[in-house]
Amino acid sequence: MENWHDFEVASRREITALLRSIGEKNQLIRMLIKGESDVCVTSILEVDAEGGNVILDCSISPDQNRRILGAKRLSFETTLDKIRIMFSGEHIESTTLEGSPAFKMPLPASLVRLQRREFYRIATPVTNPVRVLIPQPAELGGGSKPFPLSDISCGGIAILDNSLELGDTIGKVYNDCRIELPEVATITTGLQIRNSLDLTLLNNKTNRRLGCQFVDMPRSSLTAVQRYITKLERERNARIAGLE
């Protein structure tokens, strides 16, 4: 993830609470010793907040345990209540817990918590569409032109380019694009085209959908996007409740 730091948790108290919850719920953890080529499944046995350590279960393989102890850095991945948790560890050493062998390592200084909303795309309104203003090159007259959004996520947006003006070059970046999020904020961000799909409508006209990733988006703008997604979810849930 390029923008992993946007979802970083650095509070020692919150890190301790999350790791304890992972241990209490007996969530299995993937311990990556040397990337995907050497993976061990472990679990958190205890979190010692005062001592600043995490106690982890050993592998059943003595050879793998030796590789874990010899590793300079370890990566960990797990989930908690459908939220993906990632962190890393160093200086792991052997210990015992209630007479059984275990590993001990310092509490991670930070971890990454990715909620479902970070991956979740939600459709934007059709009747009163959200629009993105994209600067046009001088050869096309300059200025900015509005394009309606199809959906939005914390990673990017989908644009409807019905007039086929933007082109479909994968990787092309449009800088200083403005998106007005109704009742939330107006944000400015770069957009990079990541995928393009041409659709033929019933009237034989072509409609192009461009999937775009946010580029160099300020953290304050990401927060605004998260608030807008929450707003859309709340409105959609209210409509569903009204139909029941």
Side-chain angles (χ1 to χ4, degrees):
M1 271 191 50
E2 296 175 1
N3 298 321
W4 62 268
H5 54 273
D6 291 326
F7 312 103
E8 187 176 23
V9 176
S11 163
R12 187 181 178 91
R13 180 179 298 178
E14 192 171 359
I15 291 170
T16 300
L18 285 168
L19 294 179
R20 278 182 174 158
S21 295
I22 292 169
E24 290 167 359
K25 295 190 177 184
N26 298 316
Q27 287 295 117
L28 295 178
I29 302 172
R30 295 175 70 239
M31 181 195 298
L32 285 74
I33 305 164
K34 292 183 179 179
E36 294 290 345
S37 62
D38 199 351
V39 179
C40 169
V41 176
T42 185
S43 59
I44 293 176
L45 303 177
E46 186 178 280
V47 178
D48 177 11
E50 290 186 6
N53 295 308
V54 183
I55 309 300
L56 299 164
D57 198 7
C58 288
S59 168
I60 59 173
S61 166
D63 288 340
Q64 193 168 50
N65 286 332
R66 282 191 288 271
R67 292 197 299 276
I68 291 169
L69 290 170
K72 293 182 179 180
R73 186 178 180 87
L74 299 162
S75 300
F76 301 87
E77 293 183 17
T78 187
T79 57
L80 178 66
D81 300 327
K82 297 184 179 180
I83 297 174
R84 188 180 176 194
I85 306 288
M86 297 183 290
F87 57 96
S88 60
E90 299 174 344
H91 310 300
I92 196 163
E93 58 186 70
S94 295
T95 188
T96 58
L97 182 67
E98 297 178 354
S100 298
F103 290 130
K104 179 175 72 172
M105 74 174 195
L107 277 169
S110 65
L111 55 77
V112 175
R113 179 179 58 192
L114 295 173
Q115 298 186 40
R116 287 176 296 172
R117 187 170 293 128
E118 269 73 84
F119 302 101
Y120 174 61
R121 288 188 175 273
I122 188 167
T124 48
V126 177
T127 53
N128 188 22
V130 179
R131 299 184 186 278
V132 55
L133 289 170
I134 299 180
Q136 300 296 294
E139 59 268 22
L140 294 180
S144 295
K145 182 159 186 175
F147 295 87
L149 270 61
S150 172
D151 60 44
I152 188 168
S153 77
C154 287
I157 57 176
I159 299 171
L160 296 178
D161 179 17
N162 300 339
S163 52
L164 309 183
E165 295 181 63
L166 293 176
D168 59 354
T169 304
I170 306 302
K172 184 172 183 178
V173 175
Y174 292 92
N175 295 310
D176 301 319
C177 302
R178 288 167 53 86
I179 308 172
E180 296 183 7
L181 303 174
E183 300 177 34
V184 175
T186 298
I187 64 172
T188 302
T189 180
L191 292 173
Q192 182 181 51
I193 297 177
R194 302 305 299 256
N195 58 73
S196 173
L197 178 63
D198 287 348
L199 303 171
T200 302
L201 307 181
L202 293 176
N203 57 9
N204 286 328
K205 289 186 177 180
T206 300
N207 191 351
R208 177 170 290 163
R209 181 185 182 280
L210 297 173
C212 300
Q213 177 181 320
F214 294 135
V215 177
D216 297 328
M217 174 184 276
R219 188 170 298 193
S220 59
S221 296
L222 177 63
T223 300
V225 171
Q226 289 173 324
R227 291 207 313 270
Y228 183 62
I229 291 174
T230 300
K231 174 179 176 291
L232 290 180
E233 285 182 328
R234 196 175 294 130
E235 292 172 352
R236 184 185 63 179
N237 292 339
R239 289 194 301 271
I240 293 173
L243 294 173
E244 292 178 349

